Amino acid sequence: ILNVEQSPQSLHVQEGDSTNFTCSFPSSNFYALHWYRWETAKSPEALFVMTLNGDEKKKGRISATLNTKEGYSYLYIKGSQPEDSATYLCAFELSGNNRLAFGKGNQVVVIP
Amino acid sequence: DAGVIQSPRHEVTEMGQEVTLRCKPISGHDYLFWYRQTMMRGLELLIYFNNNVPIDDSGMPEDRFSAKMPNASFSTLKIQPSEPRDSAVYFCASSPEGSYEQYFGPGTRLTVT
């Protein structure tokens, strides 16, 4: 069983504030780290895929970093907006076998 | 493209009944995945197929669960007999060869009473 931990489980953020949360994963046999965004009543949608230690990806106000040696990734939201409210899922891919092990998600609620 | 299509969107059934969930992947995608989402365990991979062949079914909880992919455009997940603990949202996802991204369907919310 691959242990993918996300913290905090949920957080409330004031509109305009920035926030970040963590995904930790096994550091051995690393292939890729995925972030998905999951809005209520919708399906998860891919945000980022990172494969190299030190990778940084950015999409609008959301960015992510990757440390494969110590087994963690950070997701950052800059200047949170109500439309950022969602659950952010992290998934670890082992050795390119297409099998993703998901964390339980970081549930973000942005308060107007 | 219409995206990954799942049916039904909601299913309510009584314990002991057979349940069949259906998925149509995005055309041209070689991989198809079945996931189950519960509060307790989060999103878990049940089984996945590559070119219609089951590759890894180690996530299938028990013999009551079976999945098939008779062709590139259709897959089923069957539960027989169903039990209340099977209540969950079941997602299907597909991805093309060589891509990291998986594209999720809208899910089927199953309630077994």
Side-chain angles (χ1 to χ4, degrees), chain B residues 46-73:
Chain B
L46 299 177
I47 185 172
Y48 79 94
F49 297 83
N50 180 212
N51 292 322
N52 313 339
V53 176
I55 302 300
D56 184 347
D57 65 355
S58 58
M60 295 285 263
E62 48 197 272
D63 292 345
R64 297 184 298 106
F65 285 69
S66 62
K68 293 181 180 178
M69 192 164 185
N71 57 62
S73 58

Side-chain angles (χ1 to χ4, degrees), chain A residues 21 34-40 42-48 59 61-62 75 77 81-90 102 106 108 110, chain B residues 104:
Chain A
F21 29 90
H34 303 240
W35 280 101
Y36 281 80
R37 172 192 160 86
W38 191 2
E39 291 183 67
T40 304
K42 295 186 178 180
S43 339
E45 290 184 353
L47 263 180
F48 306 118
K59 186 180 286 188
R61 292 176 293 94
I62 302 177
L75 191 80
I77 305 177
Q81 299 297 309
E83 58 264 31
D84 297 328
S85 296
T87 296
Y88 292 84
L89 292 170
C90 159
F102 281 85
N106 304 105
V108 176
V110 181
Chain B
F104 281 76

Side-chain angles (χ1 to χ4, degrees), chain A:
Chain A
I1 296 177
L2 297 172
N3 201 24
V4 179
E5 299 283 343
Q6 292 188 246
S7 63
Q9 186 177 349
S10 66
L11 63 161
H12 289 70
V13 187
Q14 202 66 40
E15 181 177 354
D17 287 352
S18 297
T19 189
N20 65 83
F21 29 90
T22 309
C23 171
S24 61
F25 52 86
S27 54
S28 57
N29 297 318
F30 176 87
Y31 187 78
L33 193 284
H34 303 240
W35 280 101
Y36 281 80
R37 172 192 160 86
W38 191 2
E39 291 183 67
T40 304
K42 295 186 178 180
S43 339
E45 290 184 353
L47 263 180
F48 306 118
V49 179
M50 294 180 288
T51 57
L52 298 175
N53 185 43
D55 261 356
E56 292 189 25
K57 293 281 178 85
K58 187 175 180 182
K59 186 180 286 188
R61 292 176 293 94
I62 302 177
S63 60
T65 61
L66 178 67
N67 183 323
T68 60
K69 295 187 188 305
E70 296 181 41
Y72 65 85
S73 174
Y74 292 135
L75 191 80
Y76 300 90
I77 305 177
K78 183 178 178 182
S80 304
Q81 299 297 309
E83 58 264 31
D84 297 328
S85 296
T87 296
Y88 292 84
L89 292 170
C90 159
F92 171 79
E93 183 175 357
L94 178 71
S95 298
N97 63 3
N98 283 90
R99 186 188 174 94
L100 297 184
F102 281 85
K104 291 189 178 178
N106 304 105
Q107 185 183 23
V108 176
V109 176
V110 181
I111 303 165

